[in-house]
Amino acid sequence: MKAKKSFEQMILDWEDSFGNMVTIHDNNYNIIAANSSAKKLLKTSSSEILKRKCYENYHGSNTPPKECPSCDCLKSGKPSIVEIFEPHLNMYLEIKALPIFNSDNSTKGVIHVVRDITTHKKMENEIIERMRELEAFYDMAINRELKMAELKVENEKLRSESYNGE
């Protein structure tokens, strides 16, 4: 007879199929479970992941980062999401923290879902740069047209004066 899978294990398996990195944290930021995508991202084994706090694994630091969705989630009991550039991993990440509740509705931990959005962010930044270039070109073209209109008026004025002065 097969043992039932825990809810947390089902989440890990399900998210693995989408390539999302998932870790489950307790209230003290200890990682208590990780899917294979998280192990791959963090370049470590299950036993190593479970020895370190989440912020040590994901951020290479001794404390949670300022924009920590897990911290927000643990405090508020509400889901939290951020997009950040993580220098420790050299990646742009979308991080979602979803609360896990005890039977008394107190928060006992979080499901931490991480998605690599580096390619998306690079494309977004490239689009923003191209937009700036187009805006600069547009401004230059408009200024050129305005200058041409001024020169045309000045030219007409000079022609008019030369015809009247002859």
Side-chain angles (χ1 to χ4, degrees), residues 1-5:
M1 178 180 249
K2 287 186 175 182
K4 281 187 176 179
K5 281 187 177 181

Side-chain angles (χ1 to χ4, degrees), residues 5-15 24 33-35:
K5 281 187 177 181
S6 70
F7 173 72
E8 287 86 359
Q9 188 58 51
M10 288 189 299
I11 293 290
L12 294 173
D13 293 344
W14 185 73
E15 289 290 343
I24 299 176
N35 71 354

Side-chain angles (χ1 to χ4, degrees), residues 78-119:
K78 295 180 181 175
S80 180
I81 184 170
V82 296
E83 286 185 5
I84 62 167
F85 177 75
E86 179 47 60
H88 177 67
L89 301 172
N90 194 31
M91 300 170 89
Y92 285 95
L93 303 173
E94 176 190 73
I95 304 173
K96 296 177 187 174
L98 309 163
I100 303 171
F101 299 102
N102 285 315
S103 58
D104 66 356
N105 267 352
S106 63
T107 307
K108 72 174 185 177
V110 296
I111 299 170
H112 189 259
V113 182
V114 178
R115 188 168 61 104
D116 178 2
I117 58 170
T118 304
T119 302

Side-chain angles (χ1 to χ4, degrees), residues 54-61 63-65 84 86 88-89 95 112:
C54 63
Y55 46 81
E56 293 172 310
N57 280 297
Y58 283 101
H59 309 289
S61 67
T63 58
I84 62 167
E86 179 47 60
H88 177 67
L89 301 172
I95 304 173
H112 189 259

Side-chain angles (χ1 to χ4, degrees), residues 41-89:
L41 170 79
L42 300 171
K43 298 177 178 119
T44 190
S45 66
S46 292
S47 60
E48 288 302 311
I49 287 176
L50 302 179
K51 289 179 185 176
R52 296 187 299 260
K53 302 281 188 183
C54 63
Y55 46 81
E56 293 172 310
N57 280 297
Y58 283 101
H59 309 289
S61 67
N62 294 325
T63 58
K66 187 171 79 170
E67 292 182 347
C68 176
S70 294
C71 296
D72 293 343
C73 184
L74 286 170
K75 289 175 191 169
S76 70
K78 295 180 181 175
S80 180
I81 184 170
V82 296
E83 286 185 5
I84 62 167
F85 177 75
E86 179 47 60
H88 177 67
L89 301 172

